[in-house]
């Protein structure tokens, strides 16, 4: 849980205000899907024991839609040619209120929840007896697990204009929500909008950044509001005013998107969603948040200074980093052990713990690899091709840095060291976001590495992103960040690819196969298979599927191999043929990446059957949509970046054949699709 969101631990009574822009579509009709998702969230909170109150908007809009339709069907062609009289807003409100409540009642009934409607007007709140009765009625409803739904009674409102507030009590449903939060002593107010929260500029502007925690003294003069929504009365200006008023009164308020299907639940879970307004925000002694743009721009500026250095100076930086890692090994070990202990206590699986732990010898191994990298051939300024187009006109293709990279990777601290080293060698700026389970390890490794970078370059060459909530802001910076590399699940890769204009190189799951041909040497096969599965089972290139030629079973060596795998602690799952032969459980799918001491075994007829199996079950999409960048093959991190002038998609990962037959080996190497 984000430390600034710990207030949710004491929340009991929640008021949720949903704006017209959330409950209606662009054409003015009800957005039934979004309203349904809202009701499901409120039902979940209700079942968890929260007291939930809803302030609903949209009645006037719904009424306009219904009355326009009614007027249309009752009009003659001649009537339609005449100028249309504007519909009375109070009549629209009267019609819309019943329609809107009918929808809520139907949806909540499907969820086995009871809702009630309460219409209020400005003048009501002048009466102290009304206010007392309101509190008692709402209390009784909440005791019965009923969800009260409030709306201003626009049908009998005495306003001369929708935004008029001659009473000084409330002028829209945002201010009504704040008034109710004060009257009913709510613990939390959630204002749902059609954007993620409060931005420092209109959200459609390229440099707009989401404000996660609003500090009035800091942000009040910095925010530029855009045009108000075409529907509803409030807009973001009204929401900020209402949220600020509630926060000043001691009621934490969050402005967040009502388009998401789970944002209300996330707020109550303490996740960093939307913009938080809190009376103590100005006094929180948090580490200064570095804005996404500031971090990315700093990395770019530092990378340009890095690129200007001679190769020997960049080499020295890497050697200094290697020395610093070894010098701080004990400190790194303490922080890593704390991460591992926390992960064990949280009940994470063994594959994550294996990736998370920096085992004995790991730091020295990383330092050795960095020194090897430092001694490699200079990657910048290498002439890849050269041709004379005309007399005196020479065209050269030269390797150059990518620019600024944003790399999102799993809870694997050694990856941070590898990625940072590669970026320095190739002259790139870097923004890193590792798995939260490795926060302490990543922090100390980042500190050790950046302190070894000379001031002539700047430690901001490598920025460490500490929360997932910073990622959306970074993904908007297509004018600063040149490439995003997400390492993780297909879902993560897809989400990032769909939410950015920045080129994306996605590394998803890899089903790695070892095929034992009938001509394989048994001793070699045993050594390779055991090493491929047991040396580092959490690695993305560990063996996940073992394919065995049917004729290899007859020499007796296969049974010894199976026995040895089981003795080493490997759990075997079989395909249809292997499960029957070995009496092991049958897999539901061959496309399964275990990342642990387990693998799938299957019998195939020949090398062509093995290749067909790999093509059908080993392929996966690694999303990418970029145009061109530097050719760089690394020895530390298992992927290769190629230079192309068109969009393309990677698929597949790492496969192996064990055979003594060179012709069979050639068939396998030529026909298996491998790009990892």
């Amino acid at each position: 849980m984000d430390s600034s969101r710990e207030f949710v631990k004491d929340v009991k009574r929640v008021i949720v205000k949903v704006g017209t822009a959330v409950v209606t579509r662009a054409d003015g009709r009800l957005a039934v899907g979004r309203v349904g998702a809202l009701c499901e969230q409120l039902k979940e909170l209700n079942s968890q024991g929260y007291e939930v109150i809803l302030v609903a908007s949209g009645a006037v809009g719904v009424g306009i839609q219904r009355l326009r339709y009614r007027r249309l069907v009752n009009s003659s062609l001649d009537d339609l040619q005449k100028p249309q009289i504007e519909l009375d807003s109070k009549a629209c409100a009267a019609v819309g209120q019943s329609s809107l409540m009918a929808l809520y009642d139907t949806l909540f009934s499907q969820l086995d929840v009871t809702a009630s409607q309460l219409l209020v007007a400005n003048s009501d709140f002048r009466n102290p007896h009304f206010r007392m009765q309101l509190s008692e009625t709402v209390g009784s409803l909440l005791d019965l697990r009923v969800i009260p739904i409030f709306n201003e009674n626009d049908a009998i409102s005495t306003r001369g204009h929708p935004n008029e507030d001659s009473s000084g009590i409330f002028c829209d449903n945002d201010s009504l929500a704040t008034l109710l939060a004060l009257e009913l002593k709510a613990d939390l107010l959630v204002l749902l909008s059609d954007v993620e929260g409060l931005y420092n500029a209109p959200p459609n502007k390229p440099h707009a950044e989401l404000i996660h925690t609003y500090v009035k003294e800091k942000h009040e003069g910095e925010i530029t509001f855009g045009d108000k929504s075409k529907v509803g009365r409030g807009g973001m200006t009204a929401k900020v005013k209402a949220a600020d008023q509630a926060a000043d009164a001691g009621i934490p308020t969050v402005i967040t998107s009502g388009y998401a299907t789970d944002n209300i639940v996330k707020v109550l879970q303490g996740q960093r969603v939307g913009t938080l307004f809190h009376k103590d925000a100005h006094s929180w002694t948090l580490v200064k948040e570095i804005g996404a743009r500031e971090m990315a721009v700093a990395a770019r500026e530092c990378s340009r200074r890095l690129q200007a250095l001679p190769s020997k100076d960049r080499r020295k930086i890497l050697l200094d980093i290697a020395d610093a890692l070894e010098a701080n090994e004990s400190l790194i070990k303490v922080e890593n052990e704390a991460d591992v202990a926390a992960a064990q206590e949280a009940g994470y699986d063994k594959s994550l713990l294996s990736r998370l732990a920096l085992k004995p010898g790991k730091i020295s191994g990383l330092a050795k690899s960095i020194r090897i990298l430092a001694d490699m051939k200079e990657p910048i300024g290498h002439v890849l091709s050269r041709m004379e187009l005309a007399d005196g006109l020479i065209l050269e293709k030269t390797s150059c840095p990518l620019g600024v990279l944003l790399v999102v990777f799993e809870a694997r601290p050694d990856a941070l060291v590898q990625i940072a080293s590669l970026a320095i060698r190739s002259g790139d700026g870097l923004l890193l976001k590792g798995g939260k389970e490795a926060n302490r390890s990543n922090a100390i490794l980042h500190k050790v590495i950046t302190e070894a970078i000379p001031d002539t370059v700047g430690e901001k060459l490598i920025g460490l992103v500490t929360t997932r909530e910073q990622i959306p802001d970074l993904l908007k910076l297509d004018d600063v960040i040149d490439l995003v590399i997400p390492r993780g699940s297909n879902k993560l890769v897809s989400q990032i690819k769909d939410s950015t204009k920045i080129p994306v190189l996605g590394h998803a799951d890899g089903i790695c196969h070892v095929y034992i041909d009938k001509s394989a040497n048994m001793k070699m096969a045993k050594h390779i298979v055991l090493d491929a599965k047991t040396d580092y089972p959490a690695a993305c290139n560990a063996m996940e599927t073992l394919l065995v030629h049917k004729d290899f079973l007859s020499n007796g060596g296969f049974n010894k191999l199976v026995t040895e795998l089981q003795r080493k602690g490997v759990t075997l799952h079989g395909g249809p043929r292997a499960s029957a032969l070995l009496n092991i459980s049958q897999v539901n799918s061959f496309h399964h990446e275990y990342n642990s001491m387990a693998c799938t075994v299957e019998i195939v007829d020949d090398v062509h059957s093995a290749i067909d199996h790999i093509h059908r079950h080993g392929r996966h999409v690694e999303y990418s949509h970029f145009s061109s960048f530097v050719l760089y093959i690394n020895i530390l991190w298992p992927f290769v970046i190629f230079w192309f002038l068109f969009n393309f998609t990677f698929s597949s990962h790492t496969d192996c054949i064990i055979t003594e037959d060179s012709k069979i080996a050639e068939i396998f190497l030529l026909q298996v699709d491998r790009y990892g």
Side-chain angles (χ1 to χ4, degrees), residues 630-661:
V630 67
L631 173 65
Y632 196 89
I633 302 177
N634 73 76
I635 61 169
L636 294 173
W637 201 19
F639 68 78
V640 182
I641 302 176
F642 295 91
W643 182 311
F644 279 103
L645 296 178
F646 49 84
N647 294 345
F648 62 93
T649 301
F650 285 134
S651 66
S652 308
H653 203 289
T654 305
D655 292 312
C656 167
I657 181 172
I658 306 173
T659 182
E660 297 287 303
D661 189 327

Short mmCIF file of all heavy atoms in Angstrom, two decimals, residues 630-661:
data_model
loop_
_atom_site.label_atom_id
_atom_site.label_comp_id
_atom_site.label_asym_id
_atom_site.label_seq_id
_atom_site.Cartn_x
_atom_site.Cartn_y
_atom_site.Cartn_z
N VAL A 630 19.59 0.73 -33.21
CA VAL A 630 20.94 0.22 -33.31
C VAL A 630 21.03 -1.30 -33.20
O VAL A 630 20.31 -1.92 -32.44
CB VAL A 630 21.82 0.87 -32.21
CG1 VAL A 630 21.40 0.44 -30.84
CG2 VAL A 630 23.28 0.56 -32.41
N LEU A 631 21.91 -1.89 -34.01
CA LEU A 631 22.22 -3.31 -33.91
C LEU A 631 23.11 -3.54 -32.70
O LEU A 631 24.16 -2.95 -32.57
CB LEU A 631 22.95 -3.76 -35.18
CG LEU A 631 23.50 -5.19 -35.17
CD1 LEU A 631 22.37 -6.18 -35.10
CD2 LEU A 631 24.34 -5.44 -36.40
N TYR A 632 22.65 -4.39 -31.78
CA TYR A 632 23.46 -4.63 -30.59
C TYR A 632 23.15 -6.02 -30.05
O TYR A 632 22.03 -6.33 -29.71
CB TYR A 632 23.16 -3.58 -29.51
CG TYR A 632 24.22 -3.57 -28.45
CD1 TYR A 632 25.35 -2.78 -28.57
CD2 TYR A 632 24.10 -4.41 -27.34
CE1 TYR A 632 26.32 -2.79 -27.61
CE2 TYR A 632 25.08 -4.42 -26.37
CZ TYR A 632 26.18 -3.62 -26.49
OH TYR A 632 27.15 -3.62 -25.55
N ILE A 633 24.15 -6.87 -30.00
CA ILE A 633 23.99 -8.21 -29.47
C ILE A 633 24.71 -8.26 -28.14
O ILE A 633 25.89 -7.93 -28.06
CB ILE A 633 24.56 -9.27 -30.43
CG1 ILE A 633 23.88 -9.16 -31.80
CG2 ILE A 633 24.41 -10.66 -29.85
CD1 ILE A 633 24.44 -10.10 -32.82
N ASN A 634 24.00 -8.66 -27.08
CA ASN A 634 24.63 -8.64 -25.78
C ASN A 634 24.87 -10.03 -25.23
O ASN A 634 24.23 -10.98 -25.63
CB ASN A 634 23.79 -7.81 -24.79
CG ASN A 634 22.53 -8.55 -24.39
OD1 ASN A 634 22.59 -9.47 -23.58
ND2 ASN A 634 21.39 -8.16 -24.94
N ILE A 635 25.80 -10.12 -24.27
CA ILE A 635 26.12 -11.41 -23.67
C ILE A 635 25.47 -11.57 -22.31
O ILE A 635 25.55 -12.62 -21.70
CB ILE A 635 27.64 -11.56 -23.50
CG1 ILE A 635 28.17 -10.46 -22.56
CG2 ILE A 635 28.36 -11.53 -24.82
CD1 ILE A 635 29.61 -10.69 -22.13
N LEU A 636 24.83 -10.50 -21.83
CA LEU A 636 24.30 -10.53 -20.47
C LEU A 636 22.80 -10.78 -20.42
O LEU A 636 22.30 -11.38 -19.49
CB LEU A 636 24.60 -9.20 -19.78
CG LEU A 636 26.08 -8.90 -19.53
CD1 LEU A 636 26.22 -7.50 -18.99
CD2 LEU A 636 26.66 -9.90 -18.54
N TRP A 637 22.07 -10.30 -21.40
CA TRP A 637 20.62 -10.36 -21.32
C TRP A 637 20.11 -11.08 -22.56
O TRP A 637 20.46 -10.71 -23.68
CB TRP A 637 20.08 -8.94 -21.26
CG TRP A 637 18.71 -8.85 -20.70
CD1 TRP A 637 18.04 -9.74 -19.94
CD2 TRP A 637 17.81 -7.75 -20.88
NE1 TRP A 637 16.82 -9.29 -19.61
CE2 TRP A 637 16.64 -8.07 -20.17
CE3 TRP A 637 17.88 -6.55 -21.55
CZ2 TRP A 637 15.55 -7.22 -20.14
CZ3 TRP A 637 16.80 -5.71 -21.51
CH2 TRP A 637 15.65 -6.04 -20.80
N PRO A 638 19.27 -12.11 -22.43
CA PRO A 638 18.96 -12.99 -23.56
C PRO A 638 17.96 -12.43 -24.56
O PRO A 638 16.85 -12.91 -24.69
CB PRO A 638 18.38 -14.22 -22.86
CG PRO A 638 17.77 -13.69 -21.62
CD PRO A 638 18.66 -12.57 -21.18
N PHE A 639 18.33 -11.35 -25.22
CA PHE A 639 17.58 -10.98 -26.41
C PHE A 639 18.51 -10.23 -27.36
O PHE A 639 19.53 -9.71 -26.96
CB PHE A 639 16.32 -10.14 -26.09
CG PHE A 639 16.59 -8.77 -25.57
CD1 PHE A 639 16.96 -7.74 -26.43
CD2 PHE A 639 16.46 -8.50 -24.22
CE1 PHE A 639 17.19 -6.48 -25.95
CE2 PHE A 639 16.71 -7.23 -23.73
CZ PHE A 639 17.07 -6.22 -24.60
N VAL A 640 18.14 -10.23 -28.61
CA VAL A 640 18.94 -9.58 -29.64
C VAL A 640 18.11 -8.49 -30.28
O VAL A 640 16.94 -8.70 -30.60
CB VAL A 640 19.37 -10.59 -30.73
CG1 VAL A 640 20.25 -9.91 -31.77
CG2 VAL A 640 20.12 -11.75 -30.09
N ILE A 641 18.66 -7.31 -30.44
CA ILE A 641 17.97 -6.22 -31.10
C ILE A 641 18.51 -6.08 -32.52
O ILE A 641 19.70 -5.94 -32.72
CB ILE A 641 18.17 -4.90 -30.34
CG1 ILE A 641 17.66 -5.04 -28.90
CG2 ILE A 641 17.48 -3.75 -31.02
CD1 ILE A 641 17.91 -3.82 -28.06
N PHE A 642 17.61 -6.13 -33.50
CA PHE A 642 18.01 -6.04 -34.90
C PHE A 642 17.58 -4.70 -35.49
O PHE A 642 16.64 -4.08 -35.01
CB PHE A 642 17.35 -7.15 -35.71
CG PHE A 642 17.79 -8.53 -35.32
CD1 PHE A 642 17.11 -9.24 -34.35
CD2 PHE A 642 18.89 -9.12 -35.92
CE1 PHE A 642 17.51 -10.50 -33.98
CE2 PHE A 642 19.29 -10.38 -35.55
CZ PHE A 642 18.60 -11.07 -34.59
N TRP A 643 18.24 -4.33 -36.55
CA TRP A 643 17.93 -3.11 -37.28
C TRP A 643 17.02 -3.47 -38.45
O TRP A 643 17.39 -4.25 -39.31
CB TRP A 643 19.22 -2.49 -37.78
CG TRP A 643 19.09 -1.20 -38.53
CD1 TRP A 643 18.25 -0.90 -39.53
CD2 TRP A 643 19.86 -0.03 -38.29
NE1 TRP A 643 18.43 0.37 -39.94
CE2 TRP A 643 19.43 0.93 -39.21
CE3 TRP A 643 20.88 0.29 -37.42
CZ2 TRP A 643 19.98 2.20 -39.27
CZ3 TRP A 643 21.42 1.55 -37.49
CH2 TRP A 643 20.98 2.49 -38.39
N PHE A 644 15.80 -2.93 -38.48
CA PHE A 644 14.90 -3.13 -39.60
C PHE A 644 14.26 -1.80 -39.94
O PHE A 644 14.20 -0.89 -39.12
CB PHE A 644 13.78 -4.13 -39.25
CG PHE A 644 14.21 -5.56 -39.36
CD1 PHE A 644 14.50 -6.29 -38.22
CD2 PHE A 644 14.32 -6.18 -40.58
CE1 PHE A 644 14.90 -7.61 -38.30
CE2 PHE A 644 14.71 -7.50 -40.67
CZ PHE A 644 15.00 -8.22 -39.53
N LEU A 645 13.73 -1.68 -41.12
CA LEU A 645 13.08 -0.45 -41.55
C LEU A 645 11.58 -0.68 -41.74
O LEU A 645 10.94 -0.02 -42.55
CB LEU A 645 13.72 0.07 -42.84
CG LEU A 645 15.18 0.47 -42.69
CD1 LEU A 645 15.73 0.92 -44.03
CD2 LEU A 645 15.35 1.57 -41.66
N PHE A 646 11.01 -1.63 -41.00
CA PHE A 646 9.58 -1.87 -41.08
C PHE A 646 9.14 -2.48 -39.75
O PHE A 646 9.95 -2.91 -38.96
CB PHE A 646 9.23 -2.81 -42.23
CG PHE A 646 10.07 -4.07 -42.28
CD1 PHE A 646 9.73 -5.18 -41.51
CD2 PHE A 646 11.21 -4.12 -43.06
CE1 PHE A 646 10.50 -6.32 -41.55
CE2 PHE A 646 11.99 -5.27 -43.09
CZ PHE A 646 11.63 -6.37 -42.34
N ASN A 647 7.85 -2.49 -39.54
CA ASN A 647 7.34 -3.06 -38.30
C ASN A 647 7.38 -4.58 -38.38
O ASN A 647 7.22 -5.16 -39.44
CB ASN A 647 5.89 -2.62 -38.08
CG ASN A 647 5.79 -1.13 -37.85
OD1 ASN A 647 6.79 -0.49 -37.59
ND2 ASN A 647 4.60 -0.59 -37.96
N PHE A 648 7.55 -5.23 -37.22
CA PHE A 648 7.60 -6.69 -37.22
C PHE A 648 7.24 -7.21 -35.85
O PHE A 648 7.11 -6.47 -34.89
CB PHE A 648 8.97 -7.21 -37.64
CG PHE A 648 10.08 -6.80 -36.73
CD1 PHE A 648 10.49 -7.62 -35.69
CD2 PHE A 648 10.73 -5.59 -36.90
CE1 PHE A 648 11.51 -7.25 -34.85
CE2 PHE A 648 11.76 -5.21 -36.06
CZ PHE A 648 12.15 -6.04 -35.03
N THR A 649 7.07 -8.52 -35.76
CA THR A 649 6.71 -9.16 -34.50
C THR A 649 7.65 -10.32 -34.24
O THR A 649 7.88 -11.15 -35.11
CB THR A 649 5.26 -9.69 -34.59
OG1 THR A 649 4.39 -8.61 -34.84
CG2 THR A 649 4.86 -10.38 -33.29
N PHE A 650 8.21 -10.37 -33.04
CA PHE A 650 9.00 -11.52 -32.64
C PHE A 650 8.08 -12.65 -32.20
O PHE A 650 7.00 -12.42 -31.70
CB PHE A 650 9.89 -11.17 -31.44
CG PHE A 650 11.07 -10.33 -31.78
CD1 PHE A 650 11.39 -9.24 -31.00
CD2 PHE A 650 11.86 -10.63 -32.86
CE1 PHE A 650 12.48 -8.46 -31.29
CE2 PHE A 650 12.97 -9.85 -33.15
CZ PHE A 650 13.27 -8.76 -32.36
N SER A 651 8.52 -13.89 -32.34
CA SER A 651 7.81 -15.01 -31.75
C SER A 651 8.83 -16.07 -31.40
O SER A 651 9.94 -16.09 -31.92
CB SER A 651 6.77 -15.58 -32.73
OG SER A 651 7.41 -16.15 -33.84
N SER A 652 8.45 -16.96 -30.47
CA SER A 652 9.27 -18.10 -30.08
C SER A 652 10.45 -17.67 -29.21
O SER A 652 10.70 -16.50 -29.00
CB SER A 652 9.73 -18.87 -31.30
OG SER A 652 8.61 -19.19 -32.12
N HIS A 653 11.20 -18.68 -28.71
CA HIS A 653 12.23 -18.33 -27.73
C HIS A 653 13.50 -19.13 -27.96
O HIS A 653 14.33 -18.75 -28.79
CB HIS A 653 11.69 -18.55 -26.32
CG HIS A 653 12.41 -17.75 -25.28
ND1 HIS A 653 13.69 -18.03 -24.89
CD2 HIS A 653 12.03 -16.67 -24.57
CE1 HIS A 653 14.08 -17.17 -23.98
NE2 HIS A 653 13.09 -16.32 -23.75
N THR A 654 13.69 -20.25 -27.25
CA THR A 654 14.95 -20.99 -27.31
C THR A 654 14.65 -22.48 -27.39
O THR A 654 13.88 -22.99 -26.58
CB THR A 654 15.80 -20.71 -26.06
OG1 THR A 654 15.98 -19.29 -25.93
CG2 THR A 654 17.15 -21.40 -26.15
N ASP A 655 15.24 -23.15 -28.37
CA ASP A 655 15.03 -24.59 -28.54
C ASP A 655 16.35 -25.28 -28.82
O ASP A 655 17.30 -24.67 -29.33
CB ASP A 655 14.04 -24.87 -29.68
CG ASP A 655 12.64 -24.42 -29.33
OD1 ASP A 655 12.19 -24.74 -28.22
OD2 ASP A 655 12.02 -23.73 -30.15
N CYS A 656 16.39 -26.59 -28.52
CA CYS A 656 17.64 -27.35 -28.60
C CYS A 656 17.37 -28.73 -29.18
O CYS A 656 16.33 -29.34 -28.89
CB CYS A 656 18.23 -27.46 -27.19
SG CYS A 656 19.57 -28.64 -27.02
N ILE A 657 18.28 -29.22 -29.98
CA ILE A 657 18.22 -30.60 -30.46
C ILE A 657 19.49 -31.32 -29.99
O ILE A 657 20.59 -30.77 -30.03
CB ILE A 657 18.09 -30.69 -32.00
CG1 ILE A 657 18.02 -32.15 -32.44
CG2 ILE A 657 19.21 -29.94 -32.71
CD1 ILE A 657 17.71 -32.34 -33.91
N ILE A 658 19.32 -32.56 -29.54
CA ILE A 658 20.45 -33.41 -29.16
C ILE A 658 20.48 -34.57 -30.14
O ILE A 658 19.56 -35.39 -30.17
CB ILE A 658 20.30 -33.93 -27.72
CG1 ILE A 658 20.09 -32.76 -26.75
CG2 ILE A 658 21.53 -34.74 -27.31
CD1 ILE A 658 19.76 -33.19 -25.33
N THR A 659 21.49 -34.60 -30.98
CA THR A 659 21.56 -35.62 -32.02
C THR A 659 23.00 -35.82 -32.45
O THR A 659 23.84 -34.92 -32.31
CB THR A 659 20.69 -35.23 -33.23
OG1 THR A 659 20.75 -36.27 -34.21
CG2 THR A 659 21.18 -33.93 -33.86
N GLU A 660 23.30 -37.00 -33.00
CA GLU A 660 24.60 -37.29 -33.59
C GLU A 660 24.52 -37.24 -35.11
O GLU A 660 25.53 -37.40 -35.79
CB GLU A 660 25.07 -38.69 -33.15
CG GLU A 660 25.30 -38.84 -31.65
CD GLU A 660 26.55 -38.13 -31.20
OE1 GLU A 660 27.64 -38.43 -31.72
OE2 GLU A 660 26.44 -37.25 -30.32
N ASP A 661 23.32 -37.00 -35.62
CA ASP A 661 23.07 -36.99 -37.07
C ASP A 661 23.10 -35.55 -37.57
O ASP A 661 22.19 -34.76 -37.28
CB ASP A 661 21.72 -37.65 -37.36
CG ASP A 661 21.49 -37.88 -38.85
OD1 ASP A 661 21.97 -37.06 -39.66
OD2 ASP A 661 20.81 -38.87 -39.20
#
